[in-house]
Amino acid sequence: MARVAHLIEHHGVRANEILAVTFTNKAAQEMQTRLEKTPYSVKEPVRWLGTFHSISAKLLRRHAELVDLKANFTILDSDDQLRIIKQLLKVNNIDDKRWPARMLAGIIDDWKNRALTPDKVPTADAGAYNNKGVELYAQYQTRLRELNAVDFGDLLLHMVTIFQTHPDVLEQYQRWFRYILVDEYQDTNIAQYLWLRLLAGGHKNICCVGDDDQSIYGWRGAEVGNILRFEKDFPGAHVVRLEQNYRSTPHILAAASNVIRGNESRLGKELWTDKPEGEKVRLIGHWDGEEEARWIGEEIDAMQGGTRGVRPMNLDEIAILVRASHQMRAFEDRFLTIGLPYKVIGGPRFYERMEIRDAMAYFRLVVSPEDDLAFERIVNTPKRGLGDKAQQTIQRTAREHGVSLVQGARIAVEQGLIKGKGGAALRDLVEGLARWNAMTRGPRIEIEDDSVIDDGTAPVRYGPPEVSHIELAQIVLDESGYTAHWQNDKTPEAPGRLENLKELVNQLDNFENLQGFLEHVSLVMDNEQDSGGPKVSIMTLHAAKGLEFPAVFLPGWEDGLFPSQRSMDESGLKGLEEERRLAYVGITRAEEVCTISFAANRRVFGQWQNAMPSRFIDELPEDHVEVLTPPGLYGGGQMSAGIETRAAQANVYNSPGWKRMQSRQGQYGMSQPRESRNTVIDATAVASFTLGERVFHQKFGYGGVVGIEGDKVEVEFDKAGTKKVVAQYLSAKDDVPF
DNA sequence: TAGAATGTCGTTTTT
DNA sequence: CGACATTCTA
């Protein structure tokens, strides 16, 4: 960052000649604030600072017509994307059981990450998705154009295409962005790399910051090769190695270094620091995931109260970093019960919530009535008595007339194709949409020819709207019945959803019109409202990239979870090494205190499963780690309490009259617990693992496969939940005394 | 058509 | 377990 400021200060570079690119919005914000805090006198803001995606979106709006789009295209999220793909599969008579839509979405994303348009997909990939991948990809792109929409991948891909096919446009931006700065370069994929290389092609004033040991996005097409090839791409590049670390204590640094040493493919570097020694990295094992959450909760309390032997910590200084987002739940549950304030970062985003997406769909339709996806989403939300049949009628009418769904609906209403209550409700909706759309503009002025219909081509202009976009948004939500829908809803979530809708409308204040707002929401907005004082952060290791915290907890270090079994199965050693880099990233997020933990037992899909401690734990340097549990047994003392708790819980869930309201997206109504679930057993066994020279023993339980140094006890359940020992290769309890 | 019951399957990681 | 699809019922 200082580098940017330096350019501005000493080389007469103007702030708006700089293009600064990050991967995440958080990093962009961070850059912005750092820039403001810099010792240099930056007078004007760096205007072109943002993520690859947000900058690409801005550029693409200027040149949309070059790729057959209109400037007001909508940006689809992965939900919309999936819906379109499902529709395509249906049209093509493809069984999405055997060939899931998700898979195709992944393949398409992958191609887009590699900057491959349908015509450029290499023949080697022709077999993808049952030989139909490329064909469907082409259809998908066509459909997106029809909808005047792009997905995330398109934002970059379209810009690369434009740069490649329109040298004049490219040159304009090469002149414009005379200096380019890229953060986290090790995570660029091919599309991003081309994007950068094209833009920097003329002047080659490009500065990239990155660390090959922190490359954790291989699965998203990131190419560490980009960073290794940098000097070749930009001959004469000056490489600066930064090996002094200003963040972590020596113990933490040593732990991280020792783990990452296990990787074979790396450039290799030795980090050092002149920070005071601090405390060792701490390691603790637990009986199960709930105990782990409980223990961490207590630790945080103690840290906050200053009774933990380290300086008193503010909740903002503490983070819990998990491998997979499902791990977050145990912590949320626990922290809610003990009233510990927390925030989930990078969890479900604000705009991904059902009510926000519904509201946005209404806004989208108001702004652009041809947005069929938005129409499909809200025709029957709130319930208007328009079921499958009615919706099919609308679809058919639209198709017959070659018009959008809204138009189709209007025709269907006029021709009386939909009878009864549904018909009346649809008429209301269609009329409402027309009315609201008209409210986005003021009165029509400068009519040159009365005979010209306002179809978008007529030379008409409008005065300023009479209603502000904020009022309009409120009107749309109220008149459509959407607000009432949630007011009448009795589920416990309803008040929160109304609250969110209010927040959504409030946010509009920061924008000039609905359009600008829609763009912001789809690209930037997250659920961080940062209100109500300091909070513990809970996030994935991936989301923690680039961040730092005085105190970090790293739970769930079990083989299979971390390193992730899937990563190892799918990518072998490469996968394992990426997992190890993730471990490295995790440890190095900590400035002063780092606590690693694991649990012997965890519930997976409602079944108890157990796991060995992560192999990365074996790679921790003994001298820099303090093991909190004595080398006897991990979590042993908790066992009986654990089983009692769970048995009690199972009784509640399995009691015959027990019912529960469901109130999730799309689903409604009551559901009963199923017999075969919530099984509990009390089988225990012991396994050992090593840390440096020392051997530790760990007790497992709860059934499933119980591992003992290669030998095992297997337990199975029948439908009624009766336990049965399938195989017992070793007598568990007798082997290790405890 | 809406709601209720039953069936099936999945947990990496994200802009 | 819980999300989602499918099938059954009023």
Side-chain angles (χ1 to χ4, degrees), chain A residues 52-192:
Chain A
F52 277 100
H53 292 264
S54 69
I55 289 172
S56 283
K58 267 198 214 169
L59 296 178
L60 189 56
R61 295 248 178 242
R62 295 160 167 265
H63 304 286
E65 79 286 354
L66 297 180
V67 282
D68 288 330
L69 288 165
K70 283 185 262 170
N72 66 346
F73 59 78
T74 23
I75 301 168
L76 303 181
D77 60 24
S78 32
D79 245 38
D80 294 324
Q81 196 186 357
L82 219 56
R83 194 139 3 104
I84 294 177
I85 291 178
K86 279 187 183 161
Q87 288 170 359
L88 280 181
L89 295 186
K90 206 164 236 168
V91 172
N92 284 274
N93 278 322
I94 291 170
D95 177 14
D96 72 342
K97 280 255 150 41
R98 273 196 63 188
W99 300 97
R102 233 165 236 300
M103 183 194 271
L104 182 58
I107 294 169
I108 290 177
D109 267 356
D110 197 54
W111 281 331
K112 289 188 176 178
N113 285 335
R114 285 155 61 196
L116 298 170
T117 44
D119 53 307
K120 292 209 188 101
V121 174
T123 41
D125 287 16
Y129 200 75
N130 201 18
N131 295 322
K132 299 201 183 92
V134 184
E135 163 68 22
L136 288 164
Y137 177 24
Q139 286 182 26
Y140 171 73
Q141 291 304 90
T142 308
R143 183 79 188 116
L144 287 186
R145 287 214 166 85
E146 284 165 12
L147 293 165
N148 191 33
V150 301
D151 62 20
F152 280 123
D154 280 339
L155 289 172
L156 283 153
L157 181 60
H158 283 326
M159 279 322 295
V160 169
T161 309
I162 290 172
F163 288 153
Q164 284 171 337
T165 52
H166 298 269
D168 51 319
V169 177
L170 177 61
E171 273 166 37
Q172 178 197 335
Y173 289 109
Q174 286 176 343
R175 277 197 304 277
W176 211 340
F177 305 133
R178 289 181 49 216
Y179 299 88
I180 299 177
L181 182 89
V182 191
D183 197 16
E184 309 278 7
Y185 191 67
Q186 77 280 356
D187 285 326
T188 46
N189 59 33
I190 293 178
Q192 290 159 336

Side-chain angles (χ1 to χ4, degrees), chain A residues 106 111 119-120 124 163 242 301 315 338 356 384 411 462 465 506 543 683 698:
Chain A
W111 281 331
D119 53 307
K120 292 209 188 101
F163 288 153
L242 303 172
D301 261 344
L315 292 183
I338 62 174
I356 300 306
R384 296 191 169 90
I411 296 169
Y462 298 92
N506 286 342
Q698 181 174 16

Side-chain angles (χ1 to χ4, degrees), chain A residues 548-575:
Chain A
E548 56 189 17
F549 299 88
V552 167
F553 289 92
L554 301 168
W557 280 43
E558 295 126 43
D559 245 45
L561 180 58
F562 189 43
S564 143
Q565 192 58 50
R566 222 164 127 180
S567 172
M568 293 187 292
D569 288 349
E570 283 170 13
S571 316
L573 185 63
K574 260 183 97 180

Side-chain angles (χ1 to χ4, degrees), chain A residues 179-429:
Chain A
Y179 299 88
I180 299 177
L181 182 89
V182 191
D183 197 16
E184 309 278 7
Y185 191 67
Q186 77 280 356
D187 285 326
T188 46
N189 59 33
I190 293 178
Q192 290 159 336
Y193 164 77
L194 284 175
W195 192 96
L196 286 170
R197 205 182 61 177
L198 285 160
L199 278 173
H203 48 64
K204 306 206 167 159
N205 289 322
I206 182 167
C207 170
C208 299
V209 183
D211 174 0
D212 62 315
D213 285 335
Q214 294 190 47
S215 165
I216 54 176
Y217 281 97
W219 52 275
R220 206 176 62 180
E223 296 267 333
V224 202
N226 289 344
I227 205 168
L228 307 176
R229 206 176 44 232
F230 188 78
E231 289 174 84
K232 216 186 264 171
D233 288 332
F234 300 97
H238 180 47
V239 177
V240 185
R241 292 166 70 90
L242 303 172
E243 295 191 306
Q244 180 174 7
N245 180 292
Y246 299 92
R247 178 185 293 151
S248 311
T249 63
H251 282 311
I252 292 171
L253 225 47
S257 301
N258 212 62
V259 170
I260 199 66
R261 242 195 293 281
N263 273 9
E264 286 185 9
S265 55
R266 61 189 289 252
L267 291 176
K269 61 177 175 306
E270 279 304 320
L271 292 181
W272 62 275
T273 179
D274 54 16
K275 289 217 157 203
E277 191 171 55
E279 67 171 38
K280 290 183 176 179
V281 170
R282 302 178 312 153
L283 174 69
I284 182 166
H286 300 283
W287 171 249
D288 64 17
E290 283 160 45
E291 190 195 303
E292 184 181 48
R294 207 178 312 132
W295 185 84
I296 290 179
E298 279 160 19
E299 277 293 294
I300 292 173
D301 261 344
M303 283 180 172
Q304 199 190 191
T307 58
R308 223 290 268 131
V310 288
R311 70 174 175 84
M313 297 260 179
N314 190 300
L315 292 183
D316 275 341
E317 298 179 297
I318 304 172
I320 299 171
L321 312 181
V322 298
R323 174 64 183 85
S325 42
H326 62 82
Q327 290 172 262
M328 295 177 178
R329 198 151 153 192
F331 294 100
E332 291 200 64
D333 282 353
R334 183 61 193 164
F335 294 174
L336 280 173
T337 40
I338 62 174
L340 183 68
Y342 70 88
K343 57 182 171 187
V344 171
I345 295 181
R349 280 155 206 277
F350 185 71
Y351 74 85
E352 280 169 358
R353 294 164 194 223
M354 172 186 17
E355 67 277 13
I356 300 306
R357 289 173 50 90
D358 287 342
M360 298 261 301
Y362 274 105
F363 298 164
R364 271 160 61 182
L365 265 184
V366 168
V367 173
S368 44
E370 68 277 9
D371 192 330
D372 286 357
L373 279 177
F375 182 80
E376 279 173 34
R377 186 175 177 94
I378 56 88
V379 230
N380 204 27
T381 313
K383 295 269 182 289
R384 296 191 169 90
L386 298 162
D388 285 351
K389 239 181 126 198
Q391 292 187 39
Q392 276 166 21
T393 309
I394 297 172
Q395 294 270 3
R396 198 182 54 242
T397 315
R399 215 172 315 119
E400 279 165 9
H401 291 77
V403 293
S404 69
L405 289 180
V406 175
Q407 293 284 354
R410 177 175 300 139
I411 296 169
V413 167
E414 281 163 5
Q415 299 184 349
L417 297 177
I418 293 164
K419 307 261 185 287
K421 239 170 141 187
L426 186 60
R427 174 180 297 262
D428 280 353
L429 177 64

Side-chain angles (χ1 to χ4, degrees), chain A residues 101 121 150 232 234 347 398 404 412 424 444 454 652 665 669 715 718 724 738:
Chain A
V121 174
V150 301
K232 216 186 264 171
F234 300 97
S404 69
R444 181 162 153 165
D454 178 12
V652 173
Q665 46 203 95
V715 183
D718 60 17
K724 188 169 66 173
F738 62 88

